[in-house]
């Protein structure tokens, strides 16, 4: 993790093991480590003499599946792919790019929060001859089903939408689906806050059309009543209050408003 | 809904095990063939910064081999001026900042080509004010902070377009008053720290809605006393740093329950090996060890040196530089 690694291996429970188990595990790790070190040395050497080829892709791919945050290794792959784009036919390079997408997906399965892997995905999508944006949107759906709060995936989703003309209205519908599935999905409420003023603007900047606001209040009130201790809906509610005219307050049960004031 | 949290056991550690942490950090990396050590080579420069800052806060910097560290930093600078995580690894803003932090603590900046670093940072700024992390073009508010903190430590903030850099940071502000990685990204405590740090260095904190953001930040505290980095997430020691330092910058450190947080941080120590983990009973690492100690320092622990909330470096170092920072008061 950093401003620095904002993400490091987190949440690894310390397990008590016997000396024998430990020795066995250490042996296995040393074997893996030797392969990792030999592979790293090899790709550094090949890079030095600018030997950019399939072997380099294969070795660096294995290294990255073991350690997807090894950023220099992704850089070496980009250098190789940049050269191969010139050397291969468009069809061949499209095939190579698809293989790159498979590799990245494997890395993301291992670590869905790898900055390096998500970043490589954006890079290859912009670099390959014919990107399949529909497939990428499906990938986002799948990863968000596994972890609805993965902010890397939400960011990647916005990148995909931007490049494939998925409109903010469609995305607004998607966030509704997500919020209805789980009112505690703060990531979806956040996304809604940026989409709503775009899809339903009113004459004032960054505000929302009156009729829509009322519907939105219903939604968020539902969330608050379902689980009053859930912060997500409260933060969103606080924001909604600032989107329209002041008389909107009067539409609310006084007690409800007092609770919000206390929360503030 | 069940709150995602941990339970602090009654017999958890209540004392700060300084000696244990010193032993843990001075032994870290001595066994060069250790698996974890080798697999984290891609962030070695930051690892050294975490370890040495922790050691300095504990008053035991002299236990580390200064000359070896200086030689290592020198070897990691590239012709372009940027610095990589380790020898042979590519230059990146993340590790360039860590290197500059290391050399600033040692008061040994002349070890590297400083004007090269300034040029490297300057060339990564984009037209919209954002910064690439390296030549490959990833944009993130973390990199804005790295660039500006780095230049501030070098006294060369004039080398970049500060107004544009601030404009970009503000374009990442969200409905909850917080900040994300890039425009449109969800608020995250780590990114808030980076953005507030950038605004504090450049004297632009007046753009922040400090009460709204302060509310979001203090809501990070869970019943266990620990802090999470986003709503509905588990607590983690590293947020003792990112959330606390942000509240300190906003002058609202008193908005959280200090006693409970201290109890949570202390419970994350490993009594056997030394070091701090993200949560009680997890594996320790130098990263959480620094942020545990830095959190305790911000909370007023008298056995530790005072830490600077913007640079995450000992306050005496920032004082020596005469670095001017804006912090808010309530």
């Amino acid at each position: 993790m950093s401003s620095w690694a904002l993400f490091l291996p987190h949440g690894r429970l310390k397990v008590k093991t016997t000396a024998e188990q430990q020795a066995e595990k250490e042996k296995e790790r040393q074997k893996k480590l030797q392969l990792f070190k030999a592979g790293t040395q090899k790709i550094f050497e090949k890079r030095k003499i600018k030997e950019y080829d399939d072997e380099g892709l294969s070795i660096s791919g294995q290294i990255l599946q073991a350690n997807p945050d090894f950023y220099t290794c992704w850089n070496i792959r980009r250098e190789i792919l940049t050269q191969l784009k010139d050397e291969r036919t468009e069809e061949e390079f499209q095939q190579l790019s698809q293989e790159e997408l498979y590799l990245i997906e494997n890395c993301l399965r291992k670590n869905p929060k790898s900055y390096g892997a998500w970043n490589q995905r954006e890079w290859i999508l912009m670099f390959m001859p014919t990107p399949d944006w529909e497939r990428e949107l499906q990938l986002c759906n799948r990863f968000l089903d596994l972890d609805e709060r993965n902010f890397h995936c939400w960011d990647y989703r916005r990148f995909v939408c931007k490049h494939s003309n998925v409109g903010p209205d469609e995305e607004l519908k998607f966030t509704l689906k997500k919020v209805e599935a789980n009112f505690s999905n703060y990531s979806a409420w956040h996304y809604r806050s940026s989409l709503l003023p775009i899809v339903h603007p009113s004459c004032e900047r960054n505000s929302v059309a009156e009729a829509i606001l009322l519907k939105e209040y219903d939604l968020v009130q539902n969330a608050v009543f379902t689980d009053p201790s859930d912060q997500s809906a409260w933060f969103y509610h606080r924001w909604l209050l600032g989107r329209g005219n002041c008389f909107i307050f009067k539409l609310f049960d006084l007690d409800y408003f007092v609770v919000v004031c206390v929360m503030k | 809904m069940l709150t995602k949290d941990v339970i602090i056991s009654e017999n958890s550690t209540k004392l700060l095990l300084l000696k244990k942490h010193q032993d843990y950090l001075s032994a870290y990396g001595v066994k060069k063939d250790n698996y974890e050590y080798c697999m984290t080579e891609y962030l070695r420069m930051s690892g050294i910064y975490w370890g040495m800052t922790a050691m300095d806060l504990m008053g035991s910097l002299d236990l580390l081999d200064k000359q070896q560290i200086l030689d290592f930093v020198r070897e990691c600078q590239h012709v372009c001026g940027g610095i990589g995580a380790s020898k042979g690894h590519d230059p990146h803003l993340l590790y360039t900042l860590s290197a500059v932090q290391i050399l600033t603590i040692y008061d040994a900046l002349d070890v590297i080509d400083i004007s090269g670093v300034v040029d490297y940072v300057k060339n990564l700024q984009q037209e919209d004010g954002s910064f690439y992390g390296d030549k490959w073009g990833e944009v993130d508010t973390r990199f804005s902070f790295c660039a500006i903190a780095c230049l501030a430590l070098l006294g060369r903030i004039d080398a970049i377009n500060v107004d544009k850099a601030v404009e970009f940071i503000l374009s990442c502000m969200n409905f909850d008053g917080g900040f994300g990685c890039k425009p449109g990204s969800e608020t995250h405590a780590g990114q808030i720290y980076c953005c507030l740090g950038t605004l504090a260095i450049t004297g632009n904190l007046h753009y922040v809605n400090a009460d709204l953001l302060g509310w979001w930040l203090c809501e990070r505290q869970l019943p266990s006393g620990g802090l999470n980095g986003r709503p509905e997430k588990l607590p983690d020691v590293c947020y003792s740093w990112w959330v606390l330092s942000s509240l300190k910058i906003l002058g609202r450190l008193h908005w959280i329950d200090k006693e409970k947080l201290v109890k949570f941080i202390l419970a994350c120590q490993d009594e056997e090996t030394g070091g701090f983990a993200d949560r009680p009973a997890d594996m320790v690492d130098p990263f959480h060890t620094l942020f545990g100690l830095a959190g305790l320092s911000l909370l007023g622990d008298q056995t530790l040196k005072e830490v600077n909330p913007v640079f995450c470096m000992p306050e005496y170092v920032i004082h020596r530089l005469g670095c001017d920072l804006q912090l808010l008061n309530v």
Side-chain angles (χ1 to χ4, degrees):
Chain A
M1 262 240 227
S2 79
S3 95
W4 312 293
L6 276 184
F7 182 81
L8 271 183
H10 283 58
R12 292 172 307 158
L13 197 68
K14 191 175 164 182
V15 191
K16 292 250 183 252
T17 46
T18 63
E20 201 184 338
Q21 284 171 317
Q22 220 161 7
E24 191 58 37
K25 190 180 172 195
E26 190 51 35
K27 223 170 93 185
E28 212 172 287
R29 283 183 136 195
Q30 281 304 324
K31 217 166 91 188
K32 248 169 89 179
L33 192 56
Q34 290 318 316
L35 283 172
F36 181 79
K37 277 182 166 173
T40 305
Q41 200 185 346
K42 181 85 181 162
I43 54 158
F44 277 151
E45 276 165 14
K46 285 171 76 76
R47 179 193 218 185
K48 216 173 187 173
I49 54 168
K50 294 197 162 35
E51 195 173 272
Y52 295 131
D53 55 14
D54 289 316
E55 187 194 40
L57 284 179
S58 161
I59 298 172
S60 59
Q62 287 168 42
I63 293 172
L64 285 163
Q65 290 192 59
N67 196 346
D69 284 316
F70 187 174
Y71 69 100
T72 304
C73 203
W74 287 116
N75 294 348
I76 294 175
R77 285 187 81 78
R78 288 188 203 128
E79 288 167 7
I80 299 175
L81 288 166
T82 304
Q83 174 149 330
L84 294 187
K85 193 177 191 178
D86 290 338
E87 291 175 5
R88 307 274 163 98
T89 65
E90 191 178 305
E91 202 176 325
E92 284 168 342
F93 192 72
Q94 175 74 11
Q95 181 60 34
L96 265 187
S97 306
Q98 263 153 8
E99 282 162 25
E100 188 70 6
L101 290 173
Y102 289 128
L103 170 75
I104 297 166
E105 204 173 320
N106 277 340
C107 293
L108 288 174
R109 268 187 231 286
K110 187 178 157 78
N111 177 7
K113 294 175 180 176
S114 166
Y115 282 92
W118 285 109
N119 187 32
Q120 180 77 352
R121 202 161 184 98
E122 288 196 14
W123 182 82
I124 191 69
L125 260 294
M126 298 310 286
F127 196 67
M128 68 193 289
T130 340
D132 182 350
W133 293 108
E134 180 54 38
R135 185 178 174 274
E136 294 309 299
L137 201 61
Q138 294 308 322
L139 176 115
C140 293
N141 289 341
R142 282 208 316 279
F143 271 85
L144 289 178
D145 281 341
L146 292 174
D147 175 7
E148 61 184 16
R149 298 294 307 284
N150 183 341
F151 70 85
H152 301 272
C153 187
W154 282 103
D155 278 346
Y156 183 68
R157 186 184 181 92
R158 283 182 273 269
F159 161 83
V160 170
C161 290
K162 191 172 119 193
H163 290 280
S164 59
N165 299 319
V166 174
D169 50 335
E170 286 168 76
E171 284 298 273
L172 192 65
K173 278 181 206 147
F174 178 74
T175 63
L176 182 63
K177 208 174 89 187
K178 282 294 181 197
V179 164
E180 284 177 341
N182 179 8
F183 281 135
S184 296
N185 190 337
Y186 192 80
S187 307
W189 288 113
H190 156 79
Y191 197 11
R192 261 186 106 65
S193 80
S194 67
L195 293 167
L196 210 60
I198 300 172
V199 180
H200 303 289
S202 87
C203 43
E204 275 173 68
R205 195 177 160 269
N206 204 20
S207 55
V208 177
E210 203 76 39
I212 298 296
L213 263 187
L214 290 175
K215 272 171 79 176
E216 204 66 6
Y217 276 118
D218 275 345
L219 177 69
V220 79
Q221 212 174 105
N222 228 333
V224 166
F225 287 148
T226 306
D227 180 4
S229 71
D230 178 7
Q231 294 177 10
S232 307
W234 285 110
F235 282 113
Y236 188 72
H237 182 266
R238 164 73 164 73
W239 173 77
L240 269 186
L241 286 178
R243 292 316 102 197
N245 299 325
C246 281
F247 81 84
I248 205 90
F249 293 153
K250 296 177 191 140
L251 296 173
F252 282 91
D253 184 358
L254 187 65
D255 291 343
Y256 184 41
F257 185 61
V258 167
V259 174
V260 175
C261 291
V262 171
M263 286 286 290
K264 277 158 74 184
Chain B
M1 182 193 62
L2 286 170
T3 308
K4 286 186 185 158
D5 198 2
V6 294
I7 291 166
I8 308 284
S9 97
E10 271 309 309
N11 50 16
S12 69
T13 323
K14 290 173 186 67
L15 292 170
L16 178 55
L17 310 168
L18 283 181
K19 177 75 175 65
K20 284 271 180 197
H21 304 318
Q22 288 161 359
D23 292 345
Y24 166 69
L25 289 173
S26 35
Y28 191 83
V30 169
K31 277 194 193 158
K32 300 278 184 222
D33 59 347
N34 175 279
Y35 182 80
E36 296 292 339
Y37 183 79
C38 292
M39 292 309 258
T40 51
E41 191 181 358
Y42 72 87
L43 51 71
R44 183 73 66 240
M45 190 66 74
S46 295
I48 294 174
Y49 152 75
W50 300 327
M52 77 175 282
T53 305
M55 286 299 242
D56 200 0
L57 291 177
M58 292 189 287
S60 44
L61 189 55
D62 54 349
L63 291 178
L64 299 178
D65 187 338
K66 177 176 172 179
Q67 197 50 50
Q68 201 185 1
I69 293 175
L70 295 184
D71 289 345
F72 174 78
V73 175
R74 184 191 295 116
E75 285 172 349
C76 293
Q77 187 171 33
H78 290 249
V79 184
C80 64
I83 296 166
S86 188
K87 219 179 143 186
H89 291 230
D90 289 352
H92 196 287
L93 271 182
L94 288 169
Y95 309 108
T96 302
L97 171 62
S98 292
V100 167
Q101 286 173 306
I102 292 167
L103 299 181
T104 305
I105 292 175
Y106 276 139
D107 201 5
L109 281 165
D110 54 350
V111 161
I112 49 163
D113 168 16
I114 297 174
S115 68
V117 171
V118 174
D119 285 343
Y120 178 72
V121 174
K122 182 180 149 181
N123 289 332
L124 288 171
Q125 189 172 31
Q126 305 305 301
E127 250 179 53
D128 65 357
S130 67
F131 283 85
Y132 285 175
D134 63 12
K135 67 171 187 174
W136 293 100
E138 188 185 3
V139 167
D140 192 308
T141 46
R142 285 179 303 150
F143 308 147
S144 298
F145 174 74
C146 288
I148 283 169
C150 185
L151 292 179
L153 292 173
L154 298 175
R156 285 304 314 278
I157 200 98
D158 60 286
I160 52 150
N161 188 334
V162 174
D163 290 343
K164 273 282 170 195
V166 169
E167 202 177 293
F168 177 75
I169 292 286
L170 296 176
S171 75
C172 298
M173 196 191 277
N174 288 322
F175 80 110
D176 47 25
F179 299 87
C181 300
K182 45 194 147 197
S185 304
E186 179 183 347
T187 294
H188 180 295
Q191 310 291 146
I192 293 177
Y193 161 75
C194 291
C195 292
L196 289 184
T198 307
L199 297 176
I201 293 170
T202 59
N204 283 292
L205 284 173
H206 56 279
Y207 286 115
V208 177
N209 184 340
D211 281 336
L212 178 61
L213 182 51
W215 173 42
W216 191 92
L217 286 166
C218 72
E219 288 286 345
R220 297 305 103 242
Q221 190 161 37
L222 296 163
S224 66
L227 308 176
N228 60 18
R230 292 189 288 155
E232 318 301 330
K233 289 283 189 180
L234 280 170
D236 182 325
V237 156
C238 63
Y239 295 109
S240 310
W241 175 254
W242 285 311
V243 174
L244 273 193
S245 55
S246 298
L247 282 168
K248 174 79 179 173
I249 292 170
L250 295 178
R252 283 155 175 83
L253 197 57
H254 56 288
W255 283 16
I256 55 129
D257 184 335
K258 291 187 186 183
E259 211 175 300
K260 280 184 94 170
L261 178 56
V262 168
K263 201 174 147 196
F264 174 85
I265 298 177
L266 291 177
C268 294
Q269 299 177 103
D270 188 319
E271 289 176 73
E272 286 168 17
T273 60
F276 289 73
D278 54 355
R279 283 182 279 283
D282 277 359
M283 300 278 282
V284 299
D285 59 64
F287 172 83
H288 289 95
T289 303
L290 168 63
F291 292 126
L293 291 168
L296 291 173
S297 167
L298 269 187
L299 292 165
D301 188 299
Q302 293 299 311
T303 56
L304 295 167
K305 288 185 193 170
E306 196 183 333
V307 68
N308 181 278
V310 172
F311 291 100
C312 195
M313 290 160 68
E315 187 64 56
Y316 80 89
V317 176
I318 304 305
H319 189 73
R320 184 176 67 205
L321 284 180
C323 220
D324 214 8
L325 292 171
Q326 180 194 16
L327 299 182
L328 298 181
N329 291 307
V330 174

